[in-house]
Amino acid sequence: MQLPGNLLALDPADYRCSLLAVQLADEWVEYVAATEIGPQAKNYRHAVDHLCRYVDNVLGEQAEGASLADPGLFDTLVQWELSLPEEYVDGSTRPGLLASSVRGLVIRRDDHAERAVAADLARLARGPALLGSGDKTERDEFTRKEKIALVRAAWTSAHATRKRIENSWALARQGRHPDQGSWTSIPDLLWGLTHEEITVEDIRRRVPLSREWPPELAEFTVGPGRMPNPTTARMQLARRLFASLYPTALDLHAFRVLLMDATGHASEEVTGFGEKDVEFLPKGVRLTLLKNRARRLRHRAFRDQRPSEDPAPDVEDDGGQLTVNWPRREASEVVRQLMELTARARAKAPHITDTLFVNVAVRPDHTVVFDRWAAKGRAQFRHWLDVMGITVKGDPHIGRMRKSTKVEKAIVTEGRIDAAADDHTEETFAGHYAQGTTLRIMSGRTIATAQQHWFDQALDRVDGPTVVTDTQDIDQDLLEDSGLSPEEAESIMTGQLDMGVSHCKNPYQSPYSRPGELCSVAPLRCLECRNAWILPTNLPQLLLFQAHLERLRVLLTPQAFDRLWGQSWVNLEAVLDDRTPEELAQARKHIDAGEAHLDLPLAAHTEFDA
């Protein structure tokens, strides 16, 4: 089976436990082919190799019979996993990674009915990990000034690339075939390449030695004031000619930066959509984005923003208050320019339809390749930073661009994680994005905001009902003044929202049921619900509910009662304590006269101490 580029296959003959090696290697190869995980595949190979060498060393000649179908291998696998930390520094993530890789392969094999795996080994693989994941150092986000410099440099690079390619194609139209013109004429060489009349091999054979070149050709190839290396001059010339006509891997870094800034999405998402995944809107663009790691396909619309009439400053003011200046993030313009820039390169590679990031490269064997973008070799992000003259503190990694956007969202939303974690879970945000320097600077403001939020919630008694204690006649105006809408107040006054022990301002927005569904726990949980409104007319039912809870206190253990009814009991006692003895006496007269009833579901009468 074909493996990903430059990944070496395992040779079972290298181990005594050849059967075990074959079993794990087969799962590894199939998994890599099915998931196309790319460079991460080497982790599985290293894990299998490490395990097999350990088994050979521990079992000796008995390793020849080692198999995943043998339950006797259980102790060896446990010992191997526990021995991994001994080979690495404290806190290393490598032991946990190797152990989880082997576990994943065993689980995959066990999932196939026709492939035998001992039950004990399957339980071990699916059970809790014996090792921790290790200590991970999260990358810090780019500072605000660094991000501004990156975005400006990206626009500069994008404009320069577009101008370079446009000028080169215009120059090519002025040329002719080098046989009729000259093999040292830049327009003629460009003409030959654009019309596919000459190849790199022709340049290697027909272009004179570099010492015979005119000054303009030497400057075109290596830059002003420099002389090309005679041994590599023709190859440099060929690469420079193709780089003049098509975008290179280094050029496309600018568009990745701009798309990450404009959309806030990860690098793999903004470089992983093709022309079919783009829909231009009257005022924006809709993109279909795929996040491979999370296996999530999303359709996101990015609207063009209105230009700010009074843009905020780019730096912090004298008061130390961080001002986030959101620039005009025109995702539609970035996508449009990228499509135009790579149109000719994509036409040369019609088989690549899942990305707009297609570039040209001239290989050492003089072949020209139009392929999907890969930032490697001398075309990594740090090299682009060097070319653009951008200096950043810390690791020059593109993932920090994503973190910068996340930090900005957290700041703008006053530290609300649910708003910042708009395309992944809050746990992921807290684990990977919440350690930024900017967020630590803003921590005091965030904590104060959170404290104020919960203080306001406590004042509003969000964990219990709203009690109207006015002894006068309750009218609609009083209810509206207490915070209800006119419609809600009218429904309560007419008895439409009477739930038994209280009234409910919206029984279809219960915190105990799905939105839009009728509350399923009324009236048993009304005394714990923020939607409940208790009026003086509810006092008889509250006394009856108190009697019901007192019976449950006799039937249940204190622990069980506190767990099931503790909050309702506390809130009920607080409500009744606010009533005068005269009000309580009048309510009991209504109960004795049979004028008050408490309707409870059957489930309320089946409580018992488990």
Side-chain angles (χ1 to χ4, degrees):
M1 186 169 293
Q2 185 68 32
L3 291 175
N6 67 21
L7 282 181
L8 299 178
L10 281 164
D11 186 357
D14 293 339
Y15 315 100
R16 286 197 187 99
C17 58
S18 58
L19 178 57
L20 176 63
V22 167
Q23 293 172 335
L24 293 173
D26 286 346
E27 298 301 329
W28 168 60
V29 173
E30 290 185 10
Y31 179 71
V32 172
T35 60
E36 299 180 354
I37 57 175
Q40 293 81 7
K42 64 185 178 211
N43 295 326
Y44 291 87
R45 185 194 186 283
H46 292 161
V48 174
D49 175 73
H50 196 287
L51 173 63
C52 290
R53 294 189 185 281
Y54 180 87
V55 172
D56 286 353
N57 183 52
V58 172
L59 298 184
E61 295 181 358
Q62 297 180 2
E64 296 178 1
S67 167
L68 292 177
D70 180 13
L73 193 62
F74 179 89
D75 290 338
T76 304
L77 286 180
V78 171
Q79 293 169 7
W80 169 75
E81 189 166 329
L82 293 177
S83 70
L84 288 173
E86 299 174 2
E87 302 181 18
Y88 299 91
V89 298
D90 292 341
S92 173
T93 62
R94 194 67 181 168
L97 178 62
L98 295 177
S100 64
S101 297
V102 169
R103 284 173 176 250
L105 296 178
V106 175
I107 292 172
R108 191 179 191 280
R109 189 171 186 83
D110 184 56
D111 287 339
H112 290 79
E114 68 279 5
R115 301 175 186 177
V117 175
D120 289 344
L121 300 185
R123 281 194 295 271
L124 173 64
R126 298 180 188 274
L130 302 179
L131 303 177
S133 58
D135 299 328
K136 297 181 180 179
T137 302
E138 294 291 339
R139 295 187 183 94
D140 203 355
E141 80 276 3
F142 290 123
T143 66
R144 182 62 185 155
K145 292 182 179 179
E146 288 174 344
K147 185 182 177 185
I148 291 174
L150 283 170
V151 173
R152 288 175 177 169
W155 275 120
T156 301
S157 176
H159 293 324
T161 301
R162 186 176 69 250
K163 184 177 180 180
R164 182 191 77 219
I165 293 176
E166 289 176 353
N167 292 343
S168 297
W169 280 86
L171 191 61
R173 289 191 287 270
Q174 302 174 16
R176 52 182 176 171
H177 197 290
D179 285 341
Q180 301 173 358
S182 171
W183 283 94
T184 60
S185 168
I186 298 175
D188 293 346
L189 292 173
L190 291 173
W191 184 96
L193 293 177
T194 57
H195 289 78
E196 298 184 357
E197 294 289 336
I198 65 173
T199 64
V200 176
E201 182 63 22
D202 293 329
I203 295 175
R204 188 181 70 84
R205 292 186 296 104
R206 305 290 297 277
V207 172
L209 296 176
S210 60
R211 63 173 176 267
E212 301 176 14
W213 289 2
E216 60 271 14
L217 184 60
E219 182 176 335
F220 172 81
T221 304
V222 295
R226 301 175 58 190
M227 290 299 296
N229 187 330
T231 59
T232 60
R234 294 185 181 94
M235 175 60 74
Q236 288 179 292
L237 173 60
R239 287 175 173 166
R240 183 68 178 86
L241 289 169
F242 276 98
S244 299
L245 298 171
Y246 305 98
T248 66
L250 207 60
D251 295 328
L252 295 181
H253 279 289
F255 289 91
R256 180 173 62 165
V257 169
L258 293 174
L259 282 174
M260 291 180 69
D261 177 63
T263 65
H265 282 264
S267 171
E268 65 181 79
E269 293 179 278
V270 300
T271 59
F273 63 86
E275 188 173 0
K276 66 181 184 305
D277 302 318
V278 178
E279 178 187 357
F280 286 105
L281 307 174
K283 292 184 178 180
V285 64
R286 180 180 289 109
L287 303 176
T288 299
L289 303 173
L290 174 64
K291 194 165 189 177
N292 290 325
R293 289 168 292 174
R295 297 293 175 185
R296 292 184 62 184
L297 189 68
R298 290 184 284 246
H299 307 279
R300 293 290 176 88
F302 301 96
R303 304 291 178 178
D304 294 343
Q305 300 181 15
R306 292 182 178 180
S308 175
E309 296 180 358
D310 186 19
D314 290 336
V315 296
E316 297 182 0
D317 60 24
D318 294 337
Q321 193 72 268
L322 182 65
T323 302
V324 178
N325 175 25
W326 292 91
R328 290 191 64 192
R329 289 179 166 91
E330 305 293 0
S332 60
E333 180 62 22
V334 179
V335 173
R336 187 176 287 108
Q337 289 194 27
L338 177 61
M339 292 179 68
E340 293 174 356
L341 187 72
T342 61
R344 293 188 179 97
R346 287 184 286 112
K348 297 286 187 179
H351 61 287
I352 301 176
T353 59
D354 59 345
T355 180
L356 297 178
F357 283 71
V358 179
N359 62 271
V360 67
V362 180
R363 292 178 175 173
D365 61 356
H366 300 89
T367 58
V368 180
V369 178
F370 291 88
D371 201 355
R372 66 181 68 250
W373 183 61
K376 57 185 180 181
R378 295 294 300 174
Q380 299 180 49
F381 183 59
R382 59 188 177 88
H383 297 117
W384 180 80
L385 293 176
D386 292 339
V387 171
M388 300 307 300
I390 302 296
T391 301
V392 297
K393 294 181 179 179
D395 186 13
H397 194 280
I398 191 61
R400 298 176 63 192
M401 187 75 180
R402 160 86 159 162
K403 288 197 170 186
S404 297
T405 303
K406 284 293 179 184
V407 167
E408 287 178 349
K409 286 184 179 180
I411 294 172
V412 170
T413 57
E414 298 291 338
R416 289 176 51 207
I417 291 181
D418 60 338
D422 56 350
D423 59 347
H424 48 64
T425 64
E426 294 183 18
E427 290 79 5
T428 299
F429 179 89
H432 294 282
Y433 298 101
Q435 296 82 21
T437 298
T438 309
L439 285 186
R440 291 196 294 269
I441 294 174
M442 299 294 292
S443 61
R445 180 174 164 192
T446 300
I447 292 173
T449 301
Q451 290 175 337
Q452 185 63 45
H453 168 76
W454 289 112
F455 181 70
D456 293 341
Q457 295 287 1
L459 292 180
D460 293 338
R461 301 188 68 178
V462 297
D463 57 344
T466 300
V467 183
V468 179
T469 59
D470 198 315
T471 57
Q472 300 177 358
D473 293 337
I474 304 298
D475 56 18
Q476 184 168 339
D477 292 338
L478 176 62
L479 294 179
E480 292 181 20
D481 293 340
S482 299
L484 292 174
S485 67
E487 295 77 10
E488 293 169 344
E490 181 180 0
S491 298
I492 288 179
M493 291 298 298
T494 57
Q496 299 179 34
L497 298 178
D498 190 351
M499 306 301 287
V501 298
S502 70
H503 294 75
C504 182
K505 70 175 184 178
N506 193 341
Y508 291 95
Q509 291 294 329
S510 168
Y512 302 101
S513 301
R514 293 181 178 178
E517 293 184 1
L518 185 64
C519 180
S520 59
V521 296
L524 298 178
R525 298 298 175 195
C526 289
L527 285 165
E528 301 176 25
C529 182
R530 59 178 175 267
N531 287 341
W533 283 66
I534 296 178
L535 306 184
T537 54
N538 294 121
L539 188 53
Q541 283 77 18
L542 291 175
L543 291 174
L544 291 173
F545 191 62
Q546 182 189 37
H548 172 72
L549 293 184
E550 287 177 343
R551 287 193 296 271
L552 292 180
R553 293 187 72 184
V554 176
L555 295 174
L556 300 175
T557 64
Q559 296 85 351
F561 180 83
D562 185 67
R563 175 171 55 86
L564 296 172
W565 299 104
Q567 189 63 55
S568 291
W569 178 259
V570 170
N571 291 355
L572 176 60
E573 291 295 295
V575 172
L576 295 179
D577 287 344
D578 288 340
R579 299 300 182 181
T580 64
E582 293 76 11
E583 290 179 296
L584 295 174
Q586 186 65 27
R588 291 192 177 94
K589 290 181 181 179
H590 284 285
I591 295 174
D592 296 338
E595 299 175 358
H597 303 279
L598 178 63
D599 296 323
L600 297 178
L602 291 176
H605 303 286
T606 59
E607 300 275 6
F608 62 92
D609 187 2

